[in-house]
């Protein structure tokens, strides 16, 4: 199975990998069929773990290959990575200000973006997680696209590790949408539907990312670091603060360490 996967076009590989990460979101959302509630410590630990995974992936799977790709170019090695990284954060910051959304666990009066009061709570919850999933799908896509560019630092094992790591951290995100909707009285099937829909953007972003760096290879270091900057913004803005706002700071912090370590091992071992 793995041997066959290795023979596929990198764009198709990116599509399959991001369908897997979407599937993990759906799997998390499906817990709404089997349980009435989730322990808050568990959710905070999973959020912290997700933050650690995303931080590690941002460096080993994205920034490090970006720096290597920029070697021998017309500009200093650090410049494309620095520009792309900051642009990724600015893009997410701007999207956060414009797109109406509501983070799980908050009241409607705490919704963000333009005219959030005109949207239903379910829509706002889905948009919040969708906003986070855009850089994740993009990261997987550009990682597989980097393989097509024959970048030495980019490997199929590393790209697969990135997809696996993001898939693991997507599991609690689906649940974070479906469970609050169920608690508010929404039917289980409808709660599941909204929960899994938050991950549908990942295959779209993944294919776009892989296509972009395959067609325009000079943009590869910028694209890799852009995805890294977008993910780090999400971690700093929402993931880690959200994991600690319920008082489970020690658990969340240690979970960040565990997530970072596991993602580092996956990337280095498979890469």
């Amino acid at each position: 199975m793995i041997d066959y996967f290795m023979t596929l076009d990198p764009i198709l590989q990116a599509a399959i990998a991001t369908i897997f990460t979407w599937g993990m979101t759906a799997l998390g959302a499906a817990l709404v069929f089997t349980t009435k509630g989730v322990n808050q410590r568990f959710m905070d630990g999973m959020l912290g773990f997700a933050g650690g995974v995303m931080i590690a992936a941002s460096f080993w799977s994205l920034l490090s290959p970006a720096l290597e790709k920029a070697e021998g170019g017309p500009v200093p090695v650090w410049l494309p990575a620095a520009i792309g990284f900051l642009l990724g954060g600015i893009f997410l910051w701007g999207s956060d200000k414009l797109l109406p959304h509501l983070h799980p666990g908050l009241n409607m009066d705490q919704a963000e973006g333009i005219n959030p009061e005109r949207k239903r709570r379910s829509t706002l919850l889905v948009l919040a997680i969708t906003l986070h999933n855009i850089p994740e799908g993009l990261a997987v896509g550009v990682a597989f696209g980097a393989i097509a560019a024959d970048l030495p630092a980019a490997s199929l094992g590393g790209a697969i590790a990135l997809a696996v790591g993001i898939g693991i951290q997507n599991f609690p995100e689906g649940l974070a949408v479906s469970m609050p909707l169920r608690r508010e009285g929404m039917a289980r099937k409808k709660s599941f539907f909204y929960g899994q829909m938050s991950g549908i953007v990942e295959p779209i972003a993944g294919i776009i990312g892989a296509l972009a760096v395959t067609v325009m290879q000079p943009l590869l270091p910028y694209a890799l670091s852009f995805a890294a900057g977008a993910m780090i913004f999400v971690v700093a803005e929402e993931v880690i603060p959200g994991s600690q706002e319920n008082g489970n700071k020690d658990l969340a912090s240690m979970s960040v360490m565990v997530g970072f370590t596991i993602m580092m091992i996956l990337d280095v071992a498979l890469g």
Side-chain angles (χ1 to χ4, degrees):
M1 185 68 177
I2 295 178
D3 291 339
Y4 174 72
F5 184 76
M6 292 175 66
T7 65
L8 298 176
D9 181 85
I11 296 173
L12 183 55
Q13 291 175 342
I16 294 172
T18 47
I19 288 172
F20 161 75
T21 61
W22 175 23
M24 289 297 290
T25 304
L27 187 62
L31 287 183
V32 75
F33 293 111
T34 62
T35 182
K36 294 182 179 180
V38 180
N39 184 276
Q40 189 60 53
R41 284 178 57 83
F42 171 78
M43 287 299 296
D44 291 343
M46 288 296 288
L47 268 178
F49 179 86
V53 166
M54 294 170 74
I55 293 170
S58 295
F59 177 74
W60 270 281
S61 297
L62 299 170
L63 279 176
S64 181
L67 289 167
E68 181 168 328
K69 178 64 177 176
E71 290 180 357
V75 297
V77 171
W78 52 265
L79 187 60
I83 292 174
F85 186 82
L86 291 175
L87 285 178
I90 292 170
F91 171 78
L92 259 291
W93 173 80
S95 300
D96 198 56
K97 297 299 181 185
L98 295 174
L99 186 69
H101 62 282
L102 175 67
H103 295 287
L106 300 182
N107 299 320
M108 280 294 291
D109 59 1
Q110 295 175 289
E112 302 176 56
I114 297 177
N115 298 325
E117 67 279 358
R118 297 182 181 179
K119 303 291 185 180
R120 298 173 62 182
R121 181 179 177 86
S122 57
T123 302
L124 293 172
L125 286 169
V126 172
L127 288 174
I129 303 301
T130 299
L131 183 61
H132 293 180
N133 285 340
I134 292 173
E136 295 167 9
L138 184 64
V140 175
V142 297
F144 280 98
I147 300 171
D150 294 324
L151 183 61
S155 67
L156 181 61
I160 292 174
L162 175 61
V164 170
I166 288 178
I168 291 171
Q169 68 93 27
N170 275 358
F171 182 80
E173 290 187 346
L175 183 60
V177 176
S178 64
M179 193 57 68
L181 296 178
R182 176 58 183 163
R183 283 198 296 264
E184 293 173 6
M186 186 176 287
R188 292 183 189 274
K189 289 183 179 180
K190 199 169 184 180
S191 299
F192 166 74
F193 174 78
Y194 281 116
Q196 64 84 28
M197 277 298 291
S198 64
I200 196 172
V201 71
E202 290 200 2
I204 299 171
I207 292 172
I208 290 173
L211 275 171
V213 299
T214 302
V215 175
M216 298 175 287
Q217 291 193 16
L219 293 179
L220 182 55
Y222 297 93
L224 287 164
S225 51
F226 179 94
M231 286 215 296
I232 291 297
F233 180 89
V234 169
V235 173
E237 173 78 3
E238 300 294 345
V239 177
I240 290 180
S243 71
Q244 299 188 353
E245 63 187 11
N246 296 295
N248 297 313
K249 292 185 177 181
D250 290 342
L251 172 65
S253 297
M254 288 307 301
S255 296
V256 170
M257 302 293 291
V258 172
F260 184 96
T261 302
I262 290 177
M263 185 61 211
M264 176 182 65
I265 293 171
L266 281 173
D267 194 274
V268 175
L270 295 180

